[in-house]
């Protein structure tokens, strides 16, 4: 898995930030066109690429498609972290370097997450 390209990241951020379940290319294009010089077809092809890569789901509505993310922003971030852990050399060292760089609040959140996972795993066995 790789991170998103620049426009892919912008589109995914917009989709994750929306209060609606699904969005058309036109809706995102109209929003982006107020901020940058961009072609409708560029937005359309990028959303189609995200769909083909499995990041967006879609359904036809009239002549257009409505798109929505298949994963949350947090699930995507977790997948990136998991990949970095597995391709970054010795996972124990990667984790040590990571933990050394996080804030006390982030460390407390990590500790709480580890406790929740340990509890779920012990209950499942």
């Amino acid at each position: 898995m790789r991170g998103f390209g620049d426009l892919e990241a912008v589109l995914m951020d917009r989709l994750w930030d929306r209060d609606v379940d699904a969005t058309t290319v036109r809706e995102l294009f109209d929003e982006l066109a107020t901020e940058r010089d961009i072609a409708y077809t560029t937005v359309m092809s990028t959303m189609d690429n995200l769909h083909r890569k499995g990041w967006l789901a879609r359904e036809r509505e009239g002549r257009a498609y409505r798109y929505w993310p298949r994963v949350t922003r947090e699930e995507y971030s977790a997948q990136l972290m998991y990949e970095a852990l597995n391709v970054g050399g010795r996972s124990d060292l990667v984790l040590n370097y990571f933990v050394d760089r996080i804030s006390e609040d982030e460390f407390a959140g990590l500790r709480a997450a580890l406790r929740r996972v340990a509890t779920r795993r012990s209950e499942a066995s």
Side-chain angles (χ1 to χ4, degrees):
M1 183 179 94
R2 290 192 178 140
F4 297 127
D6 291 340
L7 184 56
E8 289 176 335
V10 168
L11 293 175
M12 290 302 294
D13 280 337
R14 297 290 174 115
L15 289 164
W16 281 322
D17 288 341
R18 295 178 95 69
D19 290 332
V20 296
D21 292 333
T23 303
T24 65
V25 171
R26 171 61 61 191
E27 291 165 344
L28 274 183
F29 167 76
D30 289 344
E31 191 177 306
L32 287 171
T34 64
E35 302 167 11
R36 59 169 70 190
D37 185 27
I38 192 165
Y40 175 88
T41 54
T42 301
V43 176
M44 181 177 63
S45 63
T46 303
M47 290 179 74
D48 185 59
N49 289 340
L50 287 165
H51 170 70
R52 283 189 293 103
K53 292 176 181 179
W55 295 112
L56 295 179
R58 72 181 181 191
E59 67 183 4
R60 191 172 274 289
E61 183 178 280
R63 293 176 43 206
Y65 284 105
R66 294 195 75 72
Y67 291 87
W68 62 94
R70 287 185 179 267
V71 297
T72 66
R73 182 185 322 236
E74 294 76 15
E75 290 168 323
Y76 171 72
S77 295
Q79 289 175 2
L80 286 177
M81 291 168 63
Y82 182 76
E83 180 180 293
L85 183 63
N86 287 307
V87 300
R90 287 184 38 202
S91 60
D92 60 327
L93 292 178
V94 172
L95 284 171
N96 282 329
Y97 289 127
F98 173 74
V99 171
D100 281 344
R101 286 165 178 74
I102 62 177
S103 70
E104 287 299 319
D105 287 344
E106 291 164 332
F107 187 79
L110 177 59
R111 193 176 319 124
L114 289 170
R115 278 194 298 270
R116 284 191 302 273
V117 170
T119 300
R120 279 197 310 262
R121 287 183 177 180
S122 67
E123 290 172 353
S125 52

